[in-house]
Structure formats: structure tokens, C-alpha cells
Tab-separated table of all heavy atoms in Angstrom:
chain	number	residue	atom	x	y	z
A	1	ALA	N	-7.868	-4.962	2.683
A	1	ALA	CA	-7.802	-5.526	1.328
A	1	ALA	C	-9.203	-5.710	0.748
A	1	ALA	O	-10.098	-6.266	1.387
A	1	ALA	CB	-7.061	-6.849	1.353
A	2	GLY	N	-9.389	-5.203	-0.468
A	2	GLY	CA	-10.674	-5.300	-1.155
A	2	GLY	C	-11.571	-4.100	-0.959
A	2	GLY	O	-12.490	-3.879	-1.744
A	3	ASN	N	-11.316	-3.322	0.067
A	3	ASN	CA	-12.140	-2.144	0.334
A	3	ASN	C	-11.743	-0.984	-0.575
A	3	ASN	O	-10.577	-0.841	-0.959
A	3	ASN	CB	-12.000	-1.698	1.790
A	3	ASN	CG	-12.563	-2.715	2.764
A	3	ASN	OD1	-13.441	-3.490	2.415
A	3	ASN	ND2	-12.038	-2.716	3.984
A	4	LEU	N	-12.715	-0.148	-0.890
A	4	LEU	CA	-12.416	1.074	-1.633
A	4	LEU	C	-11.508	1.984	-0.819
A	4	LEU	O	-11.651	2.086	0.404
A	4	LEU	CB	-13.710	1.819	-1.964
A	4	LEU	CG	-14.594	1.229	-3.067
A	4	LEU	CD1	-15.970	1.872	-3.027
A	4	LEU	CD2	-13.940	1.428	-4.434
A	5	ILE	N	-10.591	2.655	-1.500
A	5	ILE	CA	-9.723	3.628	-0.831
A	5	ILE	C	-10.569	4.694	-0.144
A	5	ILE	O	-10.292	5.114	0.979
A	5	ILE	CB	-8.768	4.292	-1.845
A	5	ILE	CG1	-7.903	3.247	-2.552
A	5	ILE	CG2	-7.901	5.338	-1.164
A	5	ILE	CD1	-7.046	2.406	-1.661
A	6	SER	N	-11.639	5.105	-0.797
A	6	SER	CA	-12.492	6.170	-0.256
A	6	SER	C	-13.308	5.719	0.949
A	6	SER	O	-13.877	6.549	1.657
A	6	SER	CB	-13.424	6.717	-1.339
A	6	SER	OG	-14.207	5.674	-1.903
A	7	ASP	N	-13.378	4.396	1.198
A	7	ASP	CA	-14.040	3.933	2.415
A	7	ASP	C	-13.216	4.271	3.655
A	7	ASP	O	-13.770	4.454	4.742
A	7	ASP	CB	-14.269	2.409	2.360
A	7	ASP	CG	-15.383	2.019	1.413
A	7	ASP	OD1	-16.159	2.906	1.014
A	7	ASP	OD2	-15.465	0.822	1.058
A	8	VAL	N	-11.906	4.336	3.483
A	8	VAL	CA	-11.002	4.670	4.590
A	8	VAL	C	-10.633	6.144	4.549
A	8	VAL	O	-10.675	6.838	5.563
A	8	VAL	CB	-9.731	3.789	4.532
A	8	VAL	CG1	-8.707	4.242	5.583
A	8	VAL	CG2	-10.099	2.324	4.750
A	9	HIS	N	-10.259	6.626	3.368
A	9	HIS	CA	-9.904	8.041	3.197
A	9	HIS	C	-11.116	8.734	2.558
A	9	HIS	O	-11.187	8.899	1.332
A	9	HIS	CB	-8.658	8.174	2.329
A	9	HIS	CG	-7.463	7.446	2.876
A	9	HIS	ND1	-6.891	7.765	4.089
A	9	HIS	CD2	-6.751	6.391	2.382
A	9	HIS	CE1	-5.867	6.963	4.316
A	9	HIS	NE2	-5.765	6.120	3.309
A	10	SER	N	-12.064	9.130	3.388
A	10	SER	CA	-13.354	9.614	2.879
A	10	SER	C	-13.226	10.893	2.065
A	10	SER	O	-14.095	11.199	1.238
A	10	SER	CB	-14.328	9.828	4.043
A	10	SER	OG	-13.812	10.773	4.975
A	11	GLY	N	-12.154	11.643	2.271
A	11	GLY	CA	-11.940	12.856	1.478
A	11	GLY	C	-11.649	12.565	0.023
A	11	GLY	O	-11.639	13.480	-0.805
A	12	LEU	N	-11.414	11.297	-0.311
A	12	LEU	CA	-11.139	10.910	-1.694
A	12	LEU	C	-12.369	10.357	-2.404
A	12	LEU	O	-12.264	9.858	-3.521
A	12	LEU	CB	-10.010	9.872	-1.730
A	12	LEU	CG	-8.650	10.359	-1.223
A	12	LEU	CD1	-7.640	9.216	-1.222
A	12	LEU	CD2	-8.141	11.524	-2.063
A	13	LEU	N	-13.525	10.453	-1.762
A	13	LEU	CA	-14.764	10.010	-2.405
A	13	LEU	C	-14.982	10.810	-3.690
A	13	LEU	O	-14.974	12.038	-3.684
A	13	LEU	CB	-15.949	10.210	-1.458
A	13	LEU	CG	-17.318	9.777	-1.987
A	13	LEU	CD1	-17.335	8.272	-2.240
A	13	LEU	CD2	-18.427	10.173	-1.013
A	14	GLY	N	-15.163	10.090	-4.784
A	14	GLY	CA	-15.333	10.743	-6.080
A	14	GLY	C	-14.029	11.007	-6.799
A	14	GLY	O	-14.038	11.364	-7.986
A	15	GLU	N	-12.893	10.828	-6.103
A	15	GLU	CA	-11.579	11.081	-6.703
A	15	GLU	C	-10.981	9.826	-7.325
A	15	GLU	O	-10.181	9.915	-8.259
A	15	GLU	CB	-10.612	11.628	-5.643
A	15	GLU	CG	-10.997	12.978	-5.075
A	15	GLU	CD	-10.856	14.099	-6.085
A	15	GLU	OE1	-9.907	14.050	-6.898
A	15	GLU	OE2	-11.696	15.010	-6.072
A	16	THR	N	-11.322	8.650	-6.765
A	16	THR	CA	-10.721	7.413	-7.256
A	16	THR	C	-11.628	6.230	-6.945
A	16	THR	O	-12.374	6.250	-5.961
A	16	THR	CB	-9.333	7.190	-6.606
A	16	THR	OG1	-8.785	5.965	-7.112
A	16	THR	CG2	-9.440	7.104	-5.090
A	17	ASP	N	-11.552	5.212	-7.806
A	17	ASP	CA	-12.244	3.956	-7.532
A	17	ASP	C	-11.245	2.842	-7.203
A	17	ASP	O	-11.584	1.657	-7.238
A	17	ASP	CB	-13.135	3.542	-8.703
A	17	ASP	CG	-12.366	3.391	-10.009
A	17	ASP	OD1	-11.125	3.579	-10.005
A	17	ASP	OD2	-12.989	3.075	-11.046
A	18	LEU	N	-10.017	3.210	-6.886
A	18	LEU	CA	-9.003	2.236	-6.490
A	18	LEU	C	-9.412	1.535	-5.202
A	18	LEU	O	-10.114	2.105	-4.355
A	18	LEU	CB	-7.654	2.925	-6.276
A	18	LEU	CG	-6.876	3.362	-7.517
A	18	LEU	CD1	-5.713	4.255	-7.121
A	18	LEU	CD2	-6.377	2.131	-8.287
A	19	ARG	N	-8.926	0.299	-5.061
A	19	ARG	CA	-9.175	-0.478	-3.848
A	19	ARG	C	-7.846	-0.896	-3.218
A	19	ARG	O	-6.825	-1.017	-3.907
A	19	ARG	CB	-10.002	-1.737	-4.174
A	19	ARG	CG	-11.424	-1.428	-4.624
A	19	ARG	CD	-12.197	-2.701	-4.954
A	19	ARG	NE	-13.558	-2.394	-5.392
A	19	ARG	CZ	-14.599	-2.299	-4.575
A	19	ARG	NH1	-14.432	-2.522	-3.267
A	19	ARG	NH2	-15.794	-1.993	-5.042
A	20	PHE	N	-7.866	-1.105	-1.916
A	20	PHE	CA	-6.705	-1.648	-1.226
A	20	PHE	C	-6.453	-3.084	-1.685
A	20	PHE	O	-7.395	-3.811	-2.028
A	20	PHE	CB	-6.920	-1.647	0.289
A	20	PHE	CG	-6.945	-0.288	0.918
A	20	PHE	CD1	-8.150	0.291	1.312
A	20	PHE	CD2	-5.771	0.418	1.126
A	20	PHE	CE1	-8.182	1.540	1.896
A	20	PHE	CE2	-5.786	1.674	1.707
A	20	PHE	CZ	-6.997	2.235	2.104
A	21	SER	N	-5.197	-3.468	-1.666
A	21	SER	CA	-4.830	-4.811	-2.081
A	21	SER	C	-3.873	-5.428	-1.060
A	21	SER	O	-3.106	-4.715	-0.411
A	21	SER	CB	-4.140	-4.770	-3.447
A	21	SER	OG	-3.650	-6.037	-3.802
A	22	ASP	N	-3.934	-6.749	-0.908
A	22	ASP	CA	-2.931	-7.436	-0.093
A	22	ASP	C	-1.965	-8.215	-0.982
A	22	ASP	O	-1.128	-8.977	-0.490
A	22	ASP	CB	-3.588	-8.371	0.933
A	22	ASP	CG	-4.455	-9.444	0.273
A	22	ASP	OD1	-4.599	-9.420	-0.967
A	22	ASP	OD2	-4.982	-10.294	1.015
A	23	ARG	N	-2.076	-8.018	-2.302
A	23	ARG	CA	-1.164	-8.641	-3.251
A	23	ARG	C	-0.538	-7.561	-4.124
A	23	ARG	O	-1.204	-6.589	-4.496
A	23	ARG	CB	-1.902	-9.651	-4.130
A	23	ARG	CG	-2.513	-10.807	-3.353
A	23	ARG	CD	-3.204	-11.781	-4.291
A	23	ARG	NE	-3.822	-12.875	-3.550
A	23	ARG	CZ	-4.461	-13.888	-4.113
A	23	ARG	NH1	-4.584	-13.937	-5.435
A	23	ARG	NH2	-4.996	-14.845	-3.362
A	24	TYR	N	0.714	-7.760	-4.470
A	24	TYR	CA	1.402	-6.770	-5.285
A	24	TYR	C	2.699	-7.379	-5.808
A	24	TYR	O	3.170	-8.407	-5.316
A	24	TYR	CB	1.713	-5.505	-4.482
A	24	TYR	CG	2.483	-5.783	-3.203
A	24	TYR	CD1	3.874	-5.818	-3.199
A	24	TYR	CD2	1.816	-6.010	-2.008
A	24	TYR	CE1	4.571	-6.082	-2.041
A	24	TYR	CE2	2.511	-6.276	-0.840
A	24	TYR	CZ	3.889	-6.316	-0.863
A	24	TYR	OH	4.587	-6.586	0.276
A	25	ALA	N	3.270	-6.725	-6.819
A	25	ALA	CA	4.540	-7.156	-7.402
A	25	ALA	C	5.492	-5.968	-7.438
A	25	ALA	O	5.200	-4.954	-8.095
A	25	ALA	CB	4.313	-7.711	-8.802
A	26	LEU	N	6.592	-6.071	-6.737
A	26	LEU	CA	7.541	-4.957	-6.672
A	26	LEU	C	8.195	-4.689	-8.022
A	26	LEU	O	8.627	-3.557	-8.288
A	26	LEU	CB	8.612	-5.239	-5.615
A	26	LEU	CG	8.127	-5.306	-4.166
A	26	LEU	CD1	9.298	-5.574	-3.222
A	26	LEU	CD2	7.406	-4.023	-3.754
A	27	ASP	N	8.285	-5.709	-8.868
A	27	ASP	CA	8.908	-5.491	-10.173
A	27	ASP	C	7.957	-4.819	-11.173
A	27	ASP	O	8.325	-4.561	-12.318
A	27	ASP	CB	9.445	-6.797	-10.750
A	27	ASP	CG	8.377	-7.886	-10.891
A	27	ASP	OD1	7.195	-7.595	-10.594
A	27	ASP	OD2	8.724	-9.003	-11.282
A	28	ALA	N	6.733	-4.489	-10.726
A	28	ALA	CA	5.768	-3.802	-11.593
A	28	ALA	C	5.748	-2.303	-11.355
A	28	ALA	O	4.963	-1.588	-11.979
A	28	ALA	CB	4.371	-4.375	-11.378
A	29	ILE	N	6.595	-1.820	-10.441
A	29	ILE	CA	6.586	-0.394	-10.101
A	29	ILE	C	7.990	0.190	-10.196
A	29	ILE	O	8.991	-0.532	-10.227
A	29	ILE	CB	6.015	-0.161	-8.678
A	29	ILE	CG1	6.816	-0.943	-7.645
A	29	ILE	CG2	4.535	-0.537	-8.639
A	29	ILE	CD1	6.428	-0.653	-6.204
A	30	ASP	N	8.041	1.524	-10.246
A	30	ASP	CA	9.312	2.250	-10.304
A	30	ASP	C	9.741	2.772	-8.940
A	30	ASP	O	10.931	2.929	-8.673
A	30	ASP	CB	9.195	3.439	-11.274
A	30	ASP	CG	8.792	3.007	-12.669
A	30	ASP	OD1	9.489	2.149	-13.234
A	30	ASP	OD2	7.777	3.517	-13.188
A	31	VAL	N	8.758	3.083	-8.101
A	31	VAL	CA	9.059	3.676	-6.789
A	31	VAL	C	8.020	3.196	-5.788
A	31	VAL	O	6.830	3.054	-6.129
A	31	VAL	CB	9.082	5.225	-6.864
A	31	VAL	CG1	7.789	5.795	-7.395
A	31	VAL	CG2	9.428	5.838	-5.507
A	32	ILE	N	8.477	2.936	-4.566
A	32	ILE	CA	7.576	2.503	-3.512
A	32	ILE	C	7.672	3.471	-2.340
A	32	ILE	O	8.763	3.912	-1.954
A	32	ILE	CB	7.895	1.062	-3.055
A	32	ILE	CG1	6.797	0.531	-2.125
A	32	ILE	CG2	9.283	0.944	-2.417
A	32	ILE	CD1	6.854	-0.966	-1.913
A	33	PHE	N	6.520	3.842	-1.803
A	33	PHE	CA	6.435	4.684	-0.614
A	33	PHE	C	6.094	3.788	0.573
A	33	PHE	O	5.080	3.082	0.556
A	33	PHE	CB	5.365	5.757	-0.778
A	33	PHE	CG	5.695	6.839	-1.760
A	33	PHE	CD1	5.385	6.687	-3.107
A	33	PHE	CD2	6.320	8.013	-1.352
A	33	PHE	CE1	5.687	7.680	-4.026
A	33	PHE	CE2	6.619	9.010	-2.264
A	33	PHE	CZ	6.308	8.846	-3.603
A	34	MET	N	6.929	3.855	1.601
A	34	MET	CA	6.721	3.062	2.807
A	34	MET	C	6.039	3.943	3.846
A	34	MET	O	6.648	4.870	4.388
A	34	MET	CB	8.053	2.541	3.340
A	34	MET	CG	8.905	1.807	2.311
A	34	MET	SD	8.128	0.304	1.691
A	34	MET	CE	8.110	-0.706	3.171
A	35	CYS	N	4.762	3.673	4.122
A	35	CYS	CA	3.974	4.510	5.023
A	35	CYS	C	3.547	3.771	6.287
A	35	CYS	O	2.658	4.241	7.008
A	35	CYS	CB	2.734	5.042	4.303
A	35	CYS	SG	3.080	6.110	2.900
A	36	SER	N	4.152	2.617	6.554
A	36	SER	CA	3.814	1.874	7.767
A	36	SER	C	4.462	2.528	8.980
A	36	SER	O	5.278	3.437	8.850
A	36	SER	CB	4.280	0.422	7.637
A	36	SER	OG	3.619	-0.226	6.570
A	37	GLY	N	4.121	2.033	10.156
A	37	GLY	CA	4.646	2.599	11.392
A	37	GLY	C	6.138	2.357	11.544
A	37	GLY	O	6.746	1.533	10.842
A	38	HIS	N	6.729	3.093	12.475
A	38	HIS	CA	8.166	2.985	12.716
A	38	HIS	C	8.532	1.558	13.103
A	38	HIS	O	7.855	0.911	13.896
A	38	HIS	CB	8.585	3.950	13.818
A	38	HIS	CG	8.235	5.383	13.521
A	38	HIS	ND1	8.562	5.989	12.334
A	38	HIS	CD2	7.582	6.323	14.253
A	38	HIS	CE1	8.124	7.249	12.349
A	38	HIS	NE2	7.521	7.464	13.492
A	39	GLY	N	9.626	1.067	12.511
A	39	GLY	CA	10.101	-0.273	12.788
A	39	GLY	C	9.683	-1.301	11.755
A	39	GLY	O	10.331	-2.342	11.608
A	40	HIS	N	8.621	-1.009	10.994
A	40	HIS	CA	8.120	-1.986	10.024
A	40	HIS	C	8.964	-2.027	8.753
A	40	HIS	O	9.077	-3.076	8.120
A	40	HIS	CB	6.665	-1.671	9.664
A	40	HIS	CG	5.702	-1.902	10.778
A	40	HIS	ND1	5.155	-3.134	11.044
A	40	HIS	CD2	5.197	-1.062	11.720
A	40	HIS	CE1	4.355	-3.053	12.097
A	40	HIS	NE2	4.360	-1.797	12.517
A	41	SER	N	9.543	-0.898	8.365
A	41	SER	CA	10.279	-0.849	7.102
A	41	SER	C	11.510	-1.754	7.135
A	41	SER	O	11.800	-2.474	6.164
A	41	SER	CB	10.708	0.590	6.796
A	41	SER	OG	9.588	1.422	6.635
A	42	HIS	N	12.231	-1.686	8.226
A	42	HIS	CA	13.436	-2.513	8.344
A	42	HIS	C	13.095	-3.980	8.173
A	42	HIS	O	13.757	-4.716	7.419
A	42	HIS	CB	14.099	-2.257	9.699
A	42	HIS	CG	15.409	-2.958	9.861
A	42	HIS	ND1	15.511	-4.204	10.437
A	42	HIS	CD2	16.672	-2.607	9.502
A	42	HIS	CE1	16.771	-4.587	10.439
A	42	HIS	NE2	17.495	-3.640	9.873
A	43	GLN	N	12.050	-4.440	8.836
A	43	GLN	CA	11.640	-5.839	8.735
A	43	GLN	C	11.129	-6.168	7.338
A	43	GLN	O	11.357	-7.278	6.832
A	43	GLN	CB	10.566	-6.148	9.777
A	43	GLN	CG	10.184	-7.624	9.850
A	43	GLN	CD	11.355	-8.516	10.230
A	43	GLN	OE1	12.106	-8.194	11.169
A	43	GLN	NE2	11.544	-9.611	9.505
A	44	TYR	N	10.452	-5.205	6.715
A	44	TYR	CA	9.907	-5.441	5.373
A	44	TYR	C	11.007	-5.828	4.402
A	44	TYR	O	10.845	-6.757	3.597
A	44	TYR	CB	9.170	-4.196	4.879
A	44	TYR	CG	8.564	-4.359	3.505
A	44	TYR	CD1	7.281	-4.859	3.349
A	44	TYR	CD2	9.288	-4.029	2.357
A	44	TYR	CE1	6.721	-5.030	2.091
A	44	TYR	CE2	8.746	-4.186	1.096
A	44	TYR	CZ	7.463	-4.687	0.962
A	44	TYR	OH	6.926	-4.858	-0.286
A	45	TRP	N	12.142	-5.146	4.452
A	45	TRP	CA	13.214	-5.421	3.500
A	45	TRP	C	14.049	-6.626	3.895
A	45	TRP	O	14.847	-7.110	3.091
A	45	TRP	CB	14.072	-4.176	3.304
A	45	TRP	CG	13.287	-3.077	2.650
A	45	TRP	CD1	12.957	-1.874	3.161
A	45	TRP	CD2	12.689	-3.124	1.348
A	45	TRP	NE1	12.194	-1.153	2.277
A	45	TRP	CE2	12.018	-1.898	1.151
A	45	TRP	CE3	12.650	-4.078	0.330
A	45	TRP	CZ2	11.323	-1.607	-0.023
A	45	TRP	CZ3	11.954	-3.788	-0.839
A	45	TRP	CH2	11.300	-2.569	-1.006
A	46	ILE	N	13.868	-7.114	5.088
A	46	ILE	CA	14.423	-8.426	5.434
A	46	ILE	C	13.592	-9.524	4.790
A	46	ILE	O	14.117	-10.528	4.282
A	46	ILE	CB	14.463	-8.609	6.969
A	46	ILE	CG1	15.478	-7.648	7.599
A	46	ILE	CG2	14.789	-10.057	7.343
A	46	ILE	CD1	15.493	-7.677	9.105
A	47	ASP	N	12.266	-9.299	4.768
A	47	ASP	CA	11.340	-10.316	4.268
A	47	ASP	C	11.137	-10.271	2.755
A	47	ASP	O	10.659	-11.252	2.164
A	47	ASP	CB	9.973	-10.149	4.942
A	47	ASP	CG	10.029	-10.359	6.447
A	47	ASP	OD1	10.964	-11.025	6.917
A	47	ASP	OD2	9.128	-9.828	7.145
A	48	ASN	N	11.454	-9.158	2.104
A	48	ASN	CA	11.161	-8.986	0.686
A	48	ASN	C	12.401	-8.537	-0.091
A	48	ASN	O	13.002	-7.512	0.255
A	48	ASN	CB	10.057	-7.941	0.492
A	48	ASN	CG	8.735	-8.371	1.092
A	48	ASN	OD1	7.956	-9.068	0.478
A	48	ASN	ND2	8.496	-7.954	2.338
């Protein structure tokens, strides 16, 4: 959280100035991509 996306995904240097976030609102988006490890998605929708 707070780090530049390109600090982790170095191939995106110069492509975006977006940063990782630990805060978000699901009602502000149309579609969500779940890219966490196996087993995390099921728990995520129990908690959210």
C-alpha cells in the first residue's frame, strides 16, 4: 500500500503512476478481478 505499481511490476515503468492501495469501495467499480492465491477468494466474499 502506497507504493508505485511500477515499483513491483517494473515492466510498467513509464506506463502508469498508479499506486497500490489498502482502501477501496466496491460500489465504485463495475467489475473486480480477484488475483489472490487459491483459497482467498472464498473467504473474501464471506468477509465483504
Side-chain angles (χ1 to χ4, degrees):
N3 294 334
L4 286 166
I5 302 301
S6 56
D7 286 345
V8 173
H9 302 298
S10 59
L12 296 176
L13 181 63
E15 296 291 324
T16 180
D17 58 2
L18 285 169
R19 293 179 180 270
F20 291 104
S21 174
D22 59 356
R23 298 181 181 182
Y24 54 89
L26 294 181
D27 57 3
I29 57 173
D30 302 305
V31 57
I32 190 166
F33 290 88
M34 308 297 294
C35 297
S36 298
H38 303 310
H40 291 275
S41 297
H42 186 267
Q43 186 61 46
Y44 181 89
W45 294 116
I46 293 175
D47 297 337
N48 296 275

